[in-house]
Amino acid sequence: MQDTFEFSSSFAGPRLAVTILMHGDEACGLAVLDTVRAENFALSSGSLVVLVLNRRAHEAPEGPVRHLGTDMNRIWSHAGLGERTEEARRVASTLPCLKDADAILDIHSMPSQDTPFLFVSETHPRSADLAEKLGAAVPRVVTAPPPQQRGMALFETELLSKETPIVVECGQHQSAQAPDVARATFLRFLSVHGMIETGGDAETASSETVRFYEMCREIKLDQGPLTLALPMRGFDRLDRGETYGWDGPRPLIAEEDCHVLLTRPAVNPGDEALTLVRLTRTRHV
């Protein structure tokens, strides 16, 4: 089964890369494949590669799963590449394609939250500039510090130096809007690089207020399981002192005014449970 799709124009321009199915249960990125396979798809300049990263997890016998034993989005480091796993070999095989790219769009979805956002890392400062340009498609941008208690993800990896990686989280896995968000962000990604004609559905809303956030805390379980005080759909506001859940019997209390970016189905000690963010600024685009 083909996992690398190449497209080019007769005219010089940027080299872009798009990665989909990093996690096998995040199928919204397949909408990009439908788009690039359409008869009327053509680049006006530059070149594009679309990489399907973890098809085996997507086509697992029991149905699509996040991974087959190793989370591919936690091993984008020299140490991770040293692991003797199928996922590490796949990461190593994609690096040459990604190192040739001027910018990388990594497409994901979420287990529970349904509010799309863009994710950039302090390790790649130029990604923040790209996020502002993509804000018309996805008007929330979160900046993450270098990881401290987990493995390295693609959008923050130091294996890529000059490239500009950015993540779009398109909503909940089964959300009807997630493929549309993936497609709109992809077309905007091409458009801001001057690689397709603007107008039509390559652009989304004519104006948006883009909200910028920074991560303030990643919470892992000490005891487990995680129990939430209320259902959370993404960017849910917490007031300082508010109890928003429990780690086993221990209450989880907001240490400042913030928002819940992500919750995960965490059960065991050490599981990644929640990510909290704070609003830093807004900008009209």
Side-chain angles (χ1 to χ4, degrees):
M1 183 70 71
Q2 184 178 357
D3 284 334
T4 302
F5 300 83
E6 294 266 5
F7 305 88
S8 61
S9 166
S10 301
F11 299 95
R15 169 73 168 173
L16 301 184
V18 177
T19 54
I20 65 174
L21 282 182
M22 174 87 77
H23 297 127
D25 56 354
E26 300 179 9
C28 61
L30 292 172
V32 169
L33 278 188
D34 293 337
T35 300
V36 298
R37 286 168 163 172
E39 290 185 5
N40 62 345
F41 178 78
L43 299 176
S44 57
S45 65
S47 62
L48 168 71
V49 60
V50 179
L51 298 166
V52 182
L53 293 182
N54 205 348
R55 189 184 294 276
R56 289 180 65 242
H58 181 64
E59 298 177 350
E62 65 271 31
V65 294
R66 181 176 174 87
H67 56 75
L68 297 174
T70 299
D71 189 334
M72 188 182 290
N73 210 25
R74 295 293 183 270
I75 57 173
W76 292 81
S77 63
H78 292 291
L81 290 181
E83 297 181 11
R84 295 185 177 182
T85 64
E86 181 69 25
E87 288 84 358
R89 287 189 288 272
R90 181 64 177 139
V91 168
S93 71
T94 63
L95 276 174
C97 283
L98 297 178
K99 287 181 177 179
D100 284 342
D102 297 298
I104 302 161
L105 178 64
D106 186 23
I107 298 178
H108 289 261
S109 59
M110 298 171 279
S112 302
Q113 278 62 46
D114 203 25
T115 304
F117 65 93
L118 299 168
F119 218 179
V120 299
S121 174
E122 291 177 359
T123 59
H124 291 275
R126 288 186 299 177
S127 295
D129 296 332
L130 176 57
E132 290 210 23
K133 296 175 183 177
L134 298 182
V138 181
R140 292 177 179 84
V141 180
V142 176
T143 300
Q148 300 295 323
Q149 296 181 318
R150 59 170 174 79
M152 193 80 72
L154 168 57
F155 80 107
E156 56 203 1
T157 180
E158 295 176 353
L159 297 173
L160 303 172
S161 55
K162 67 178 181 63
E163 300 77 13
T164 304
I166 189 168
V167 170
V168 58
E169 294 280 3
C170 298
Q172 200 269 340
H173 293 335
Q174 283 79 42
S175 168
Q177 74 163 353
D180 294 334
V181 173
R183 180 174 177 273
T185 308
F186 166 64
L187 292 174
R188 179 73 177 172
F189 182 58
L190 297 180
S191 175
V192 300
H193 286 93
M195 292 173 60
I196 58 172
E197 299 298 327
T198 58
D201 58 5
E203 305 287 345
T204 54
S206 58
S207 65
E208 284 282 359
T209 298
V210 182
R211 291 173 170 81
F212 296 84
Y213 302 81
E214 62 183 13
M215 284 175 53
C216 55
R217 194 173 178 199
E218 288 190 279
I219 297 173
K220 286 188 174 184
L221 296 184
D222 290 330
Q223 302 177 58
L226 171 67
T227 304
L228 296 174
L230 294 169
M232 296 182 180
R233 298 186 60 82
F235 295 89
D236 306 85
R237 178 178 170 81
L238 299 177
D239 295 323
R240 182 179 180 180
E242 180 178 347
T243 297
Y244 56 90
W246 292 266
D247 174 1
R250 181 175 67 89
L252 298 172
I253 300 172
E255 297 178 357
E256 61 179 292
D257 294 343
C258 59
H259 300 261
V260 178
L261 175 66
L262 291 170
T263 66
R264 301 174 179 87
V267 175
N268 301 309
D271 283 354
E272 297 176 14
L274 300 103
T275 301
L276 306 181
V277 297
R278 65 173 69 92
L279 181 67
T280 57
R281 64 186 177 97
T282 61
R283 182 171 181 267
H284 195 70
V285 297

